[in-house]
Amino acid sequence: MNFDLSDEQKMLAEQARGLLAERVPFDRLRKLIDANAEWDEPLWRELGEMGFLGANIPEEFGGLGLSELDLAMISQELGRVNAAVPFASSLVLAADAIRLAGSDVQKAEWLPRLATGEVVGCFAYAEGPGDLLGRGVRQEGAKLNGTKTPVADAGVATLAVVQAGEALALVRLDQPGVARTRLDSFDQLRPHYRLDFADADAELLPRGGQIETLFDRAVVQAAFEAVGAAEACLTMARDYAMERQMFGRPLAGYQAIKHKLADVAVAVEMARSNAFYAGWAAGDASGELPGAAAAARLTAITAFEMAARENLQVHGGIGYTFEANCHFYYRRERTLAIALGNREHWAERLIAHTPGSQTKAA
Amino acid sequence: MDFNESPEEAAFRTAAKAWLAANAPQHELPEGVMLDDTEEVMLGRAWQRAVYDGGYAGITLPTALGGRGGTGIEALIFAEEEARYNLPKGPYIGIGLGMALPVIGKHGTPEQIAAYADRTLKGELTWCQLFSEPSAGSDLANLRTKAVRAGDDWIVNGQKVWSSWAHRSDMGILVVRTDPSVPKHKGLTFFVVDMTSPGIDIRPIRQISGASDFNETFFSDVRIPDANRIGAVGEGWACCMTVLMGERLNQGGERGGIENLIAYAEATPRGAGTALDSGSVRMALAQALAEEQAGKSFQARLRTMVSRGENPGALAAMVKLAFARRYQQTSGLALELRGMDALAPPAGDARTREIQHDYIWSTVIRIAGGADEVLKNQIAERVLGMPGEVRMDKNVPFEQLK
Ligand SMILES: Cc1cc2nc3c(=O)[nH]c(=O)nc-3n(C[C@H](O)[C@H](O)[C@H](O)COP(=O)(O)OP(=O)(O)OC[C@H]3O[C@@H](n4cnc5c(N)ncnc54)[C@H](O)[C@@H]3O)c2cc1C
């Protein structure tokens, strides 16, 4: 057994981390919010030039053909800086869906352009409040009708993979049959849209039955994103506590604060460990994936939730200002906790995939 | 023990209900609309004036202060009935009634009471609280803004921060250092200050909610007449304690009611039923509801103590601590059970937007008015009698602290 990242993976993480630290200082995020921007387009282009956007796309389609764990290094670093790019929508969801369920023609048409970042994809599943997957949108023949809302990153995407019942459909967003309406998004760095389809041209992805696998794989990446973000919160809180004087000595010297941050640190390492295992399972042990992904999801959300909340708490009043940096994570955390299914959903999946459980897989 | 309202209390409720039904609707704020600060304060003043004319202003304040001289239970009954309407009741009204008047009433002179009480109760004077500073929050006694005596005036220099609604206030309650040669809690003095005084510079701070209703407040050679001093020179800390105790007793429960979240879960579709069918949602919300009910009963116990002249002290911290945690936890949970739509609800969904706001606002409740960690220390030390942290800063003259 070797339960550590490879040297190449560590280098990839370091490379991504170095680039992002330079390109995404917090003031950059503030500027994007003030401009009500769709995304950090220059960063996206740069990620494309460096090949990051093709990380999970097979070499025959112009990507790097890296493993799920390699990809996870990038997800983690994007999470750490709260980057405003549609990496998860375009690569982790749309491209992966095409790779898993698409025909060779569809793959050849879309994957190379997704790999360079020239085409941005998004993934549409929810239909208003409640259930994770919508039930209204249907594909009949080559036409799609109904409404998906909210859909992350649909403003900059030209291509959507749309869940329609048990099937997945490919829909170009730049056609008359699609109306996009930007919604007010809780996460100010991740825009969401309502998509209305009225006899929109759509193509089925021929290999059915892939939705659960797609979500399992996507939550593994989201878990790494959450681990990166939680770690950023933890560091920020520790650094602030070291600096802040309270009753004549550093705040970091009080056990209440040490214990609080030690609890967060434990949660982060638990989450990281589950994420490693799930990342490995996603690549090399697909039978283990559903349970491993669900476990990674649950611990990652717990860690990020604690970290985001307690980071702001440790900052006191200053944490409530736009000039401080706690809020980016406080909002992003809810995105990561809710998109791709809430805790209850993944708890069910974990129980269903526990060896010895009598419950049948959902 | 009797949890039922007495005949007098029941009669009070009936009268308050009827009065509100006749007067409140025309003062209600439009649902889901962000008002301009100036306009909101104007509406707040008008509603407070109506409350005053109706005889319900300052229910627990003594009649000598122009209040109604009523009981805490009556205040609670009125607040409960009032909360059925969406009225303009922000800090701009609350700080005057809940902080300025109690401190002036307890530590002020008859002249000061005459000058401020009636006008505040009528909504003519709005107030802000000028306590916190960049290096003085939980450690309030570490404050550095100083006042130096000059004839009949004091000259104030320094900086306050997080001053809610200072940019729309007529008056401020202010604590400053008047003697740096004594230990930090001892050299403080309390004032009321006219916010239009020359030398006061108020700069709004942008908050994570998108609002900018708290401020940095700078004092450069601001003259405050000695007649504005509340209590003796050096009695500032005692005045602050009066204010903070009032703040804590009055907190908790007004927002984020669990019944609303149960209704929200029930209005959220899930499969063929609703989110409230889920065992884990039921468990979490029922637990929160039970704790909310406990908080209400706890507050009733504290009010009973106060009505007997007993000081609940750090027990009040328990109510606030429990509420703050529950508020963040349950508003976060409500967003989760809603699913993806909670991240970007349609324009018409005011309820989800409110819960998003609650989730943001809950961070403030955990920090302001006694942060969680500070309240836990108080409970451990004052309720359980455990020793305090070893402190180096307590008996040293302020000017000798680093
Ligand atoms: C929205 C808002 C409105 C406000 N309005 C006003 C106002 O109108 N007027 C005013 O004067 N102030 C106001 N405040 C300020 C508020 O009173 C302070 O934020 C509060 O006292 C905490 O102080 P601080 O922000 O400096 O945080 P700090 O005191 O720096 O606290 C930072 C963290 O350290 C923790 N901590 C403190 N002491 C200890 C300890 N001994 N052991 C372990 N942990 C500890 C705290 O719990 C907190 O988590 C407002 C604040 C907010 C957020």
Side-chain angles (χ1 to χ4, degrees):
Chain A
M1 178 185 301
N2 170 11
F3 203 52
D4 191 10
L5 300 170
S6 69
D7 288 344
E8 291 75 23
Q9 283 159 347
K10 288 178 189 164
M11 262 173 55
L12 177 62
E14 238 166 73
Q15 194 194 0
R17 192 169 177 168
L19 171 80
L20 291 167
E22 199 175 295
R23 295 295 188 274
V24 195
F26 289 117
D27 282 339
R28 170 91 188 132
L29 301 182
R30 266 182 282 275
K31 280 212 187 82
L32 290 168
I33 293 175
D34 278 339
N36 202 19
E38 292 279 350
W39 60 335
D40 189 341
E41 187 172 2
L43 176 65
W44 183 254
R45 299 287 165 234
E46 197 161 358
L47 291 173
E49 279 156 27
M50 299 192 62
F52 285 140
L53 302 183
N56 64 334
I57 292 174
E59 281 171 294
E60 52 175 318
F61 297 113
L64 301 178
L66 300 179
S67 73
E68 287 300 299
L69 260 181
D70 299 329
L71 182 68
M73 297 299 100
I74 304 172
S75 294
Q76 174 180 294
E77 298 313 316
L78 290 169
R80 192 186 306 281
V81 297
N82 246 296
V85 287
F87 189 83
S89 294
S90 193
L91 279 302
V92 176
L93 287 163
D96 209 37
I98 294 170
R99 196 184 62 77
L100 284 172
S103 67
D104 288 343
V105 176
Q106 287 164 335
K107 289 182 199 173
E109 182 179 0
W110 294 108
L111 292 181
R113 286 189 281 163
L114 286 163
T116 58
E118 165 201 342
V119 164
V120 174
C122 66
F123 184 73
Y125 52 102
E127 295 176 18
D131 296 317
L132 175 59
L133 300 181
R135 281 173 291 178
V137 168
R138 290 273 154 200
Q139 178 170 11
E140 277 135 21
K143 298 291 178 192
L144 198 75
N145 281 291
T147 297
K148 287 285 182 190
T149 187
V151 182
D153 303 309
V156 294
T158 45
L159 178 70
V161 175
V162 180
Q163 169 261 329
E166 300 290 307
L168 294 172
L170 265 186
V171 184
R172 290 195 66 115
L173 294 177
D174 51 357
Q175 58 164 310
V178 179
R180 306 185 232 194
T181 315
R182 186 161 172 184
L183 300 164
D184 204 353
S185 181
F186 184 68
D187 181 343
Q188 296 167 301
L189 292 163
R190 188 154 295 171
H192 286 81
Y193 279 75
R194 172 193 164 102
L195 295 181
D196 291 296
F197 304 106
D199 277 338
D201 295 329
E203 253 179 54
L204 208 63
L205 295 178
R207 293 192 53 212
Q210 300 293 326
I211 294 177
E212 286 187 344
T213 306
L214 181 68
F215 272 77
D216 285 344
R217 292 163 61 83
V219 286
V220 175
Q221 297 300 320
F224 275 95
E225 204 180 328
V227 166
E231 212 170 14
C233 292
L234 181 58
T235 309
M236 200 191 292
R238 184 210 47 202
D239 291 352
Y240 184 77
M242 306 276 265
E243 207 177 276
R244 178 74 169 162
Q245 294 293 310
M246 194 71 66
F247 306 103
R249 56 192 173 93
L251 178 59
Y254 290 89
Q255 286 196 352
I257 298 297
K258 288 188 205 166
H259 290 187
K260 180 198 290 295
L261 296 188
D263 282 340
V264 176
V266 171
V268 169
E269 291 312 321
M270 293 292 176
R272 193 198 315 279
S273 307
N274 266 342
F276 276 16
Y277 181 69
W280 169 77
D284 298 305
S286 54
E288 305 278 311
L289 178 61
R297 167 65 160 197
L298 293 174
T299 43
I301 290 315
T302 301
F304 191 16
E305 180 184 277
M306 274 172 82
R309 290 179 183 178
E310 299 312 320
N311 177 38
L312 202 155
Q313 177 69 13
V314 166
H315 279 73
I318 211 158
Y320 195 63
T321 65
F322 189 70
E323 272 318 295
N325 304 317
C326 310
H327 60 103
F328 303 123
Y329 297 95
Y330 193 72
R331 288 176 184 270
R332 172 62 50 86
E333 188 279 323
R334 285 293 87 181
T335 304
L336 289 184
I338 293 170
L340 300 174
N342 58 20
R343 248 178 272 240
E344 207 192 333
H345 173 85
W346 291 101
E348 297 289 348
R349 192 150 175 83
L350 179 56
I351 296 294
H353 288 273
T354 301
S357 160
Q358 297 305 306
T359 322
K360 284 279 171 287
Chain B
M1 184 177 301
D2 185 358
F3 249 77
N4 291 314
E5 285 172 3
S6 68
E8 297 77 32
E9 286 157 358
F12 179 87
R13 188 184 290 277
T14 309
K17 243 192 175 112
W19 183 83
L20 284 161
N23 293 280
Q26 59 266 40
H27 287 275
E28 280 195 286
L29 297 172
E31 201 66 52
V33 178
M34 266 274 241
L35 284 180
D36 162 50
D37 290 353
T38 315
E39 199 181 343
E40 188 175 339
V41 174
M42 217 177 64
L43 296 174
R45 287 180 197 266
W47 171 239
Q48 184 57 29
R49 177 69 207 213
V51 171
Y52 178 88
D53 290 339
Y56 292 104
I59 291 173
T60 54
L61 287 177
T63 43
L65 284 178
R68 190 182 168 103
T71 65
I73 308 292
E74 286 173 350
L76 179 66
I77 291 171
F78 188 78
E80 276 175 11
E81 296 302 327
E82 197 185 19
R84 298 180 197 279
Y85 302 88
N86 184 26
L87 294 161
K89 289 178 61 72
Y92 42 86
I93 295 297
I95 291 175
L97 299 180
M99 298 187 182
L101 291 192
V103 72
I104 296 169
K106 185 160 174 201
H107 304 267
T109 62
E111 291 74 28
Q112 288 169 334
I113 292 170
Y116 303 114
D118 195 56
R119 294 172 64 206
T120 302
L121 288 168
K122 283 181 179 155
E124 289 172 15
L125 287 182
T126 58
W127 293 77
C128 63
Q129 179 199 11
L130 303 163
F131 284 20
S132 304
E133 297 184 8
S135 57
S138 304
D139 185 6
L140 178 60
N142 201 41
L143 62 90
R144 289 178 187 166
T145 297
K146 64 172 187 201
V148 178
R149 187 77 193 239
D152 284 343
D153 291 343
W154 293 81
I155 297 182
V156 179
N157 279 288
Q159 182 198 348
K160 294 292 175 178
V161 75
W162 323 131
S163 339
S164 301
W165 293 86
H167 60 307
R168 296 284 174 268
S169 295
D170 303 309
M171 299 290 299
I173 48 175
L174 171 72
V175 58
V176 296
R177 187 165 305 281
T178 45
D179 184 358
S181 72
V182 294
K184 62 205 278 194
H185 296 81
K186 300 217 167 108
L188 306 176
T189 302
F190 204 93
F191 292 91
V192 294
V193 56
D194 180 341
M195 294 304 287
T196 61
S197 310
I200 296 183
D201 179 13
I202 302 167
R203 299 183 201 161
I205 304 172
R206 182 163 166 196
Q207 297 159 338
I208 72 174
S209 60
S212 297
D213 51 27
F214 66 15
N215 304 273
E216 290 180 288
T217 309
F218 294 90
F219 290 78
S220 335
D221 291 332
V222 175
R223 279 187 175 266
I224 302 181
D226 188 53
N228 284 19
R229 174 166 48 78
I230 306 293
V233 173
E235 203 181 302
W237 188 249
C239 293
C240 289
M241 289 302 105
T242 301
V243 170
L244 297 180
M245 181 45 75
E247 185 176 12
R248 235 148 267 174
L249 265 182
N250 291 320
Q251 245 166 4
E254 76 272 26
R255 288 191 67 107
I258 304 302
E259 281 175 30
N260 286 335
L261 297 185
I262 292 172
Y264 185 68
E266 204 165 15
T268 300
R270 165 90 43 104
T274 78
L276 195 59
D277 299 336
S278 142
S280 67
V281 169
R282 295 171 85 80
M283 178 75 202
L285 290 178
Q287 182 71 30
L289 182 62
E291 286 170 18
E292 180 182 80
Q293 285 171 358
K296 283 185 186 154
S297 298
F298 197 167
Q299 251 173 335
R301 285 169 58 203
L302 300 182
R303 288 204 171 85
T304 304
M305 288 175 74
V306 172
S307 71
R308 288 193 193 128
E310 295 164 29
N311 181 355
L315 288 175
M318 292 187 179
V319 179
K320 200 245 174 194
L321 182 66
F323 170 66
R325 278 202 293 230
R326 184 169 67 243
Y327 187 29
Q328 185 171 52
Q329 198 62 41
T330 54
S331 49
L333 171 78
L335 296 177
E336 279 179 55
L337 68 81
R338 188 73 169 176
M340 273 295 275
D341 217 45
L343 299 174
D349 184 357
R351 186 74 193 101
T352 299
R353 227 160 274 291
E354 232 168 73
I355 296 174
Q356 289 180 342
H357 182 266
D358 286 336
Y359 188 64
I360 298 278
W361 184 243
S362 68
T363 62
V364 172
I365 303 300
R366 289 188 60 195
I367 292 166
D372 287 3
E373 293 71 21
V374 171
L375 298 182
K376 286 183 190 176
N377 282 339
Q378 284 176 8
I379 292 164
E381 290 164 26
R382 296 190 205 151
V383 181
L384 303 179
M386 297 164 88
E389 297 267 354
V390 178
R391 285 186 57 175
M392 320 297 196
D393 62 333
K394 230 172 170 171
N395 300 311
V396 184
F398 183 76
E399 59 200 3
Q400 284 172 29
L401 294 174
K402 278 185 290 165

